[in-house]
Amino acid sequence: MLSANLSAIFYLISGVLFILALRGLSSPETSRQGNYFGILGMIIAITVTFLSIGNFSTGFVVILIFLLIGGLIGAFIAYKIPMTAMPELVAGFHSLVGLAAVFVAISAFLNPDAFNLGSPGNIKLGSLIEMSIGAAVGAITFSGSIIAFLKLQGIMSGSPITFKGQHPLNAIILVLIVVNIYLLCTTQSSNLFWILLAISFLIGFLLIIPIGGADMPVVISMLNSYSGWAAAGIGFTLENTALIITGALVGSSGAILSYIMCKGMNRSFFNVILGGFGATDQTNSTQNKEQKPVKSGNADDAAFLMKNASSVIIVPGYGMAVAQAQHALREMVDTLKKNDIKVSYAIHPVAGRMPGHMNVLLAEANVPYDEVFELEEINNDFANADVAFVIGANDVTNPVAKTDPQSPIYGMPVLDVEKCKSVLFVKRSLSPGYAGIDNDLFYKENTLMLFADAKKMTEDITKNL
Amino acid sequence: MEIDPFIFRLSIFILSIFVGYYVVWSVTPSLHTPLMSVTNAISSVIIVGAIIAGLAGNSDSIFNTSSIFGFIAIALAAINIFGGFLVTQRMLAMYKKKKKDK
């Protein structure tokens, strides 16, 4: 049996290894090594836990069985999941972290002796506070992630679900949670504990339903953050350094990602969380602009334009993921490169449904990561490029964000696509994007609309090159 | 007067938030998706709590309400640990540099 001090040191080591795992992600070269650090940290933490309890009886075997079942399911999912389904996968995984936190809190509440927290009905006050916070945040993470998962998977409509009195209701529930935790800590009543869990599940659900599909990058990052805080809460209860460190890391990581995503849309965090974006403006903007002339072309025209270009910038968006067009796109680019045309990719921070979504899809299609650039890195190059090929993106290219202070997306950083000599816009129809506003780019002199499925159009262009 | 051990844990917590803050800002935006999947995996270190809960039953009764919750939590966390690390591995393996052919 390991002494408490020695195990604490090992937990600290695994916490440090987790820090190194995140540190590795500062560049693709070091990232793989970073992931091994993470795995090593996890192995240490689990082994130390077994050794410090020192109980290798039947219970140990049962645990190994559950560990193995979970592990097999996890490994199976990890190998089977298509890269386009990454946002759903991450949302699903968040819900599991949340639920695990809830379950650990429940068992600690039912059997505090096992955790050295006192006895049932007489749990140490500090532990009870930490436990109930961990459980509440865990429950919110769980139900919130389930809704995010259903929306991303398309089982539930991606459009915001709003009703009258939504915000006051949420506020009342949040106050109830705080009151409930207070009462729970003073009375130690197990009924209150169950009520706390129930209303936390409810609020997680209510918080996410009003948030629309394209705001999912913020939601996923936010839930990522919550799952960290839940873990940290439980870490305090268990007095476990590895869990506290990890919880803090994950919590701040998710918070930073949410911030980056909000900035990418020029919206405040509260604006996103309060939800309902796009639902209000959809009606007034589309009608009066229908009459403007639009130039549309076919794959042949597009191929002609690109063949005569010396540099092409590709702007992918969520539509590329939906059409699974990333491989077709890479083949098109290969053909372009054979003709000595310089090609680079421009990625907007909120392109796709989660942070870094486009980068993963391009990497999957074997696009070298040093051809892929972020908004700030590449935005000046549009003026010197011959062709911008917009595939599945819309709002992130809309020049209105720079020119019209009335527009709901005014101030949002956008890719300066219109500065290119010509713009090819692959899209199914002229319908407005998520923000519900018309894209001025469609009607520009130098824009050629290619109305088709992204994948099919890209393949046709390749044939014509 | 002695310092409550809680204060030490709080210090670790606060400092880790700062470490996390600086480390995560240095993560390249193109790796934000792997960042999310790996944070998923490591936050499942909550499995240590689940293991304690699972082993809490005495030899007469391995399965009581408390330990059953522990067992389920172990399986959930294990899905995340294996799924999270492996999918991260799979993603990171795809990030390649341009072949130097010039």
Side-chain angles (χ1 to χ4, degrees):
Chain A
M1 193 160 159
L2 229 52
S3 83
N5 284 335
L6 195 57
S7 12
I9 290 189
F10 276 114
Y11 284 132
L12 181 62
I13 293 174
S14 70
V16 171
L17 285 167
F18 291 149
I19 296 175
L20 292 177
L22 298 193
R23 182 80 189 89
L25 290 170
S26 58
S27 97
E29 286 108 88
T30 53
S31 61
R32 281 166 278 251
Q33 189 197 25
N35 202 38
Y36 289 122
F37 282 136
I39 295 173
L40 183 63
M42 189 59 75
I43 294 172
I44 292 178
I46 294 177
T47 317
V48 167
T49 310
F50 281 128
L51 291 177
S52 65
I53 301 175
N55 174 359
F56 294 98
S57 58
T58 355
F60 176 68
V61 180
V62 178
I63 284 182
L64 284 188
I65 292 171
F66 276 92
L67 194 69
L68 203 69
I69 295 173
L72 283 175
I73 298 174
F76 180 76
I77 297 173
Y79 280 109
K80 284 284 163 189
I81 192 92
M83 283 300 146
T84 40
M86 229 19 139
E88 292 96 296
L89 179 78
V90 169
F93 277 173
H94 286 153
S95 73
L96 297 181
V97 179
L99 196 58
V102 171
F103 282 0
V104 173
I106 292 176
S107 26
F109 185 78
L110 294 176
N111 188 2
D113 306 280
F115 296 86
N116 287 324
L117 304 175
S119 55
N122 189 20
I123 301 171
K124 279 189 277 181
L125 180 63
S127 312
L128 194 55
I129 298 173
E130 293 152 5
M131 195 188 291
S132 34
I133 294 175
V137 180
I140 295 173
T141 313
F142 172 69
S143 54
S145 303
I146 293 287
I147 300 298
F149 175 81
L150 293 177
K151 284 195 172 196
L152 288 163
Q153 187 74 275
I155 299 171
M156 201 172 145
S157 155
S159 55
I161 299 169
T162 48
F163 54 87
K164 232 180 155 199
Q166 193 163 24
H167 300 322
L169 177 70
N170 289 350
I172 291 170
I173 296 179
L174 285 173
V175 173
L176 266 178
I177 289 179
V178 177
V179 174
N180 198 323
I181 291 180
Y182 174 76
L183 290 176
L184 172 64
C185 293
T186 45
T187 62
Q188 304 252 353
S189 147
S190 58
N191 285 338
L192 285 173
F193 186 73
W194 300 115
I195 294 173
L196 173 68
L197 288 181
I199 53 178
S200 303
F201 279 129
L202 182 66
I203 189 74
F205 171 77
L206 288 173
L207 280 175
I208 307 302
I209 52 165
I211 305 180
D215 283 339
M216 278 303 148
V218 182
V219 172
I220 295 191
S221 321
M222 185 183 80
L223 292 167
N224 186 234
S225 180
Y226 285 2
S227 69
W229 303 131
I234 302 296
F236 274 104
T237 319
L238 305 180
E239 312 188 340
N240 184 304
T241 333
L243 207 39
I244 295 176
I245 295 178
T246 315
L249 286 179
V250 177
S252 54
S253 158
I256 291 174
L257 289 178
S258 322
Y259 171 78
I260 297 176
M261 293 302 117
C262 286
K263 224 179 80 187
M265 297 192 287
N266 189 38
R267 296 174 56 199
S268 76
F269 185 67
F270 286 103
N271 185 305
V272 176
I273 296 311
L274 294 178
F277 191 66
T280 43
D281 308 322
Q282 226 136 26
T283 40
N284 56 30
S285 51
T286 38
Q287 291 139 357
N288 46 14
K289 287 186 176 176
E290 297 284 332
Q291 314 305 334
K292 284 199 240 165
V294 168
K295 276 199 289 183
S296 79
N298 56 26
D300 203 17
D301 306 329
F304 177 77
L305 264 172
M306 286 207 258
K307 228 186 292 184
N308 291 309
S310 63
S311 69
V312 173
I313 298 179
I314 296 179
V315 181
Y318 181 58
M320 180 186 83
V322 174
Q324 305 261 15
Q326 66 272 30
H327 297 282
L329 181 67
R330 211 265 339 237
E331 276 162 36
M332 185 188 89
V333 170
D334 283 350
T335 320
L336 289 175
K337 280 199 225 157
K338 263 183 224 144
N339 294 322
D340 275 330
I341 298 165
K342 186 174 166 279
V343 184
S344 35
Y345 298 80
I347 313 258
H348 191 277
V350 293
R353 285 292 185 264
M354 74 183 293
H357 192 183
M358 291 299 120
N359 303 79
V360 170
L361 293 183
L362 293 177
E364 188 201 10
N366 280 323
V367 172
Y369 62 81
D370 39 8
E371 288 175 8
V372 182
F373 299 93
E374 304 300 318
L375 178 121
E376 306 89 61
E377 296 173 310
I378 200 166
N379 228 0
N380 292 330
D381 298 354
F382 281 108
N384 305 321
D386 297 311
V387 175
F389 186 73
V390 183
I391 175 167
N394 185 359
D395 290 336
V396 297
T397 62
N398 197 341
V400 158
K402 289 176 286 191
T403 53
D404 179 9
Q406 302 301 318
S407 166
I409 61 165
Y410 181 71
M412 167 171 143
V414 287
L415 292 158
D416 298 334
V417 173
E418 77 281 0
K419 289 188 181 152
C420 272
K421 290 204 189 74
S422 43
V423 178
L424 296 170
F425 215 110
V426 187
K427 209 172 174 307
R428 282 158 180 270
S429 68
L430 268 186
S431 63
Y434 169 71
I437 45 167
D438 220 14
N439 193 338
D440 274 5
L441 205 54
F442 298 165
Y443 313 104
K444 291 255 160 145
E445 266 298 286
N446 56 353
T447 304
L448 189 66
M449 299 298 293
L450 306 167
F451 294 114
D453 173 71
K455 187 174 174 194
K456 188 162 180 308
M457 176 53 74
T458 319
E459 284 165 350
D460 289 349
I461 295 175
T462 315
K463 276 182 215 142
N464 282 303
L465 275 170
Chain B
M1 199 148 134
E2 239 180 283
I3 300 171
D4 191 308
F6 171 77
I7 303 299
F8 289 115
R9 285 191 284 278
L10 188 66
S11 319
I12 295 174
F13 179 64
I14 303 286
L15 291 176
S16 304
I17 292 179
F18 278 90
V19 172
Y21 180 85
Y22 289 106
V23 168
V24 171
W25 271 118
S26 73
V27 170
T28 158
S30 69
L31 291 175
H32 276 161
T33 298
L35 171 69
M36 301 201 87
S37 61
V38 84
T39 50
N40 237 314
I42 64 172
S43 54
S44 303
V45 72
I46 199 153
I47 199 169
V48 302
I51 294 173
I52 299 174
L55 282 178
N58 50 38
S59 46
D60 308 327
S61 61
I62 301 164
F63 295 101
N64 56 42
T65 336
S66 163
S67 64
I68 288 173
F69 276 114
F71 291 135
I72 302 173
I74 290 171
L76 294 176
I79 296 179
N80 248 331
I81 293 173
F82 282 77
F85 280 126
L86 289 173
V87 89
T88 311
Q89 193 82 357
R90 206 180 126 202
M91 274 191 271
L92 293 177
M94 298 184 312
Y95 282 82
K96 289 183 199 92
K97 248 196 164 143
K98 205 176 336 192
K99 276 187 220 110
K100 288 194 184 93
D101 46 8
K102 283 173 190 172

